[in-house]
Amino acid sequence: MESLTSRMQGVQSPIIPVVGELIKNSPGTISLGQGVVHYNPPSETIEFLPKFFAEPANNLYKSVEGIPPLLTALAGKLQAFNGIEINGENCIVVTAGSNMGFMNAILAITNPGDEIILNTPYYFNHEMAIAIAGCHPVLVATDENYQLRPNAIAQAITPKTRAVVTISPNNPTGVVYSEAALCQVNQICDTHDIYHISDEAYQYFTYNGVKHVSPGAFGSSKYTISLFSLSKAYGFASWRIGYMVIPKHLFVAIKKVQDTILICPPVISQYAALGALQAKEEYLQNNIGAISQVRQLVLDSLNRLQGLCSITPANGAFYFFLKVNTQMDAFELVKRLIQEHKVAVIPGTTFGMDDGCYLRVAYGALQKETAKEGIERLVQGLETIVKS
């Protein structure tokens, strides 16, 4: 049979299933790979499900942009936590996760051949979405601490540029961008009539007194697209609920994309999300507090690798991004860590970092004792493999 060719041949394969297969073939491996949390959604999630079943019409399609009670609840949250007011200039669209929000945005604002600026290291699904849309990622390196370089971003803009993407707190580095830098990006985008796509999936995960800042709160929302998710903070990974705040003039285009791909976000999941948003503040405080303790444990262990690895300070998300002082290929190192030391991480090449050996270490999915064992395996594995 003749092999089929399509635009997908130029899109990188998702790394998580690839590493997952290696883990499956090496039983007992502790994963510091996938970016999820170890805890469950709040009890209010389940308590709201009877409200879904009580209404027979909920088995029918609902509004493309989301059910009204959830839109109202999200508007309140955005005002209280992010400082984003929902008004006549912007609106909320509920999505099946924030990855879908990003795909919606790219399809709504581009034509094939257009350019999107990504700061490296980038989130791999962003790069994949841009390629799927027939557009081109323009890569701008962050500085030695993985912070934004607004002047370099401005210099990378061409007549084909349609958006600049930022992720703060960042995946894969864990750094949090300053308000000043994000404000500069907003101003650059406003000046050039392009969009600032701000991915804020890790908005609640900040440490050491660092505060999250939403570019959508800076004033005019004409060129700002903000992406949010319940997957991380609310333990909602498989429920697939995210949401986006978009300029009102993009609403018709976004609805066309979403209606074609999804019709409407899963209504039962929207009810679950409505319940989750009723959770007391202690739910997030306690769970993120526990992750903060794991973070410190991981950092203390990684600091033993000084000289072997460069570890950049990171006050957000639940990642550290290591530069390993070796000529070894990052994916080859990942394979050896799994096969020889039963610990899994993600190679930096999948985040666009191919000028050295980088690893993303994720610590959100593990409770303290398992994390301690996993990070010990990683430290010992790197010491053994890199020094040999």
Side-chain angles (χ1 to χ4, degrees):
M1 178 180 171
E2 188 176 327
S3 62
L4 295 173
T5 59
S6 80
R7 71 183 67 200
M8 302 310 293
Q9 284 188 315
V11 179
Q12 69 164 302
S13 295
I15 191 65
I16 299 298
V18 174
V19 173
E21 192 65 25
L22 292 171
I23 293 171
K24 189 168 74 173
N25 294 330
S26 187
T29 295
I30 294 175
S31 177
L32 298 167
Q34 192 160 26
V36 292
V37 296
H38 68 266
Y39 55 86
N40 292 322
S43 58
E44 290 85 350
T45 298
I46 306 304
E47 291 167 9
F48 260 66
L49 294 185
K51 297 179 185 291
F52 168 82
F53 291 110
E55 176 51 67
N58 279 337
N59 292 313
L60 303 175
Y61 296 127
K62 297 298 178 184
S63 298
V64 175
E65 66 269 29
I67 59 175
L70 181 55
L71 294 172
T72 299
L74 291 172
K77 174 265 172 188
L78 286 161
Q79 177 79 67
F81 185 81
N82 304 95
I84 297 175
E85 180 187 359
I86 301 303
N87 49 42
E89 296 181 356
N90 61 8
C91 59
I92 303 168
V93 176
V94 180
T95 58
S98 62
N99 272 4
M100 181 173 191
F102 187 81
M103 191 82 241
N104 283 353
I106 295 300
L107 291 173
I109 67 174
T110 65
N111 289 309
D114 284 343
E115 297 173 351
I116 305 291
I117 293 176
L118 297 180
N119 296 281
T120 56
Y122 54 65
Y123 170 46
F124 54 85
N125 280 136
H126 286 172
E127 190 268 346
M128 293 166 67
I130 292 164
I132 289 170
C135 296
H136 304 295
V138 173
L139 307 184
V140 174
T142 49
D143 70 15
E144 65 276 8
N145 292 315
Y146 302 122
Q147 292 290 335
L148 296 173
R149 297 164 58 233
N151 290 339
I153 291 171
Q155 290 170 7
I157 293 171
T158 76
K160 286 185 171 291
T161 306
R162 294 294 170 263
V164 177
V165 180
T166 62
I167 311 168
S168 183
N170 188 259
N171 176 10
T173 66
V175 303
V176 180
Y177 298 148
S178 69
E179 180 172 354
L182 290 169
C183 194
Q184 264 189 280
V185 173
N186 253 28
Q187 290 168 350
I188 289 166
C189 291
D190 190 61
T191 299
H192 291 273
D193 290 342
I194 61 176
Y195 294 94
H196 180 183
I197 303 177
S198 172
D199 187 329
E200 304 175 40
Y202 299 90
Q203 59 185 323
Y204 294 107
F205 296 89
T206 57
Y207 315 102
N208 298 323
V210 173
K211 299 295 184 185
H212 171 68
V213 178
S214 292
F218 292 161
S220 171
S221 52
K222 185 178 179 183
Y223 292 110
T224 306
I225 299 170
S226 305
L227 306 179
F228 303 95
S229 172
L230 271 71
S231 294
K232 313 301 180 183
Y234 288 95
F236 244 64
S238 71
W239 290 88
R240 305 315 304 137
I241 292 292
Y243 53 104
M244 54 196 310
V245 179
I246 59 173
K248 199 65 177 281
H249 64 260
L250 289 179
F251 187 51
V252 171
I254 295 285
K255 283 182 72 173
K256 288 179 182 178
V257 178
Q258 182 140 306
D259 186 73
T260 301
I261 297 172
L262 185 69
I263 299 183
C264 66
V267 179
I268 191 168
S269 292
Q270 292 190 68
Y271 272 80
L274 189 56
L277 293 172
Q278 314 305 311
K280 295 181 173 63
E281 285 186 17
E282 288 78 11
Y283 170 80
L284 291 177
Q285 289 172 352
N286 293 341
N287 284 309
I288 294 173
I291 286 181
S292 179
Q293 292 179 20
V294 172
R295 174 187 175 274
Q296 192 58 52
L297 182 154
V298 170
L299 186 57
D300 290 344
S301 294
L302 290 177
N303 280 333
R304 288 161 40 200
L305 294 171
Q306 296 291 348
L308 201 64
C309 296
S310 301
I311 304 158
T312 298
N315 288 308
F318 34 74
Y319 306 113
F320 288 112
F321 202 62
L322 309 185
K323 182 176 183 180
V324 187
N325 299 326
T326 178
Q327 299 299 312
M328 188 180 300
D329 174 74
F331 186 64
E332 185 60 31
L333 178 55
V334 167
K335 285 198 292 186
R336 287 191 61 183
L337 285 167
I338 294 171
Q339 293 163 356
E340 299 171 20
H341 297 275
K342 294 195 180 300
V343 62
V345 289
I346 302 297
T349 44
T350 200
F351 305 101
M353 300 295 280
D354 51 13
D355 60 341
C357 185
Y358 296 85
L359 302 175
R360 189 190 76 175
V361 179
Y363 54 85
L366 304 177
Q367 298 191 48
K368 191 177 287 186
E369 286 309 308
T370 312
K372 186 175 182 180
E373 173 63 24
I375 205 67
E376 283 298 314
R377 292 184 190 183
L378 177 62
V379 169
Q380 291 174 12
L382 288 173
E383 288 176 334
T384 302
I385 296 169
V386 176
K387 287 181 178 178
S388 63

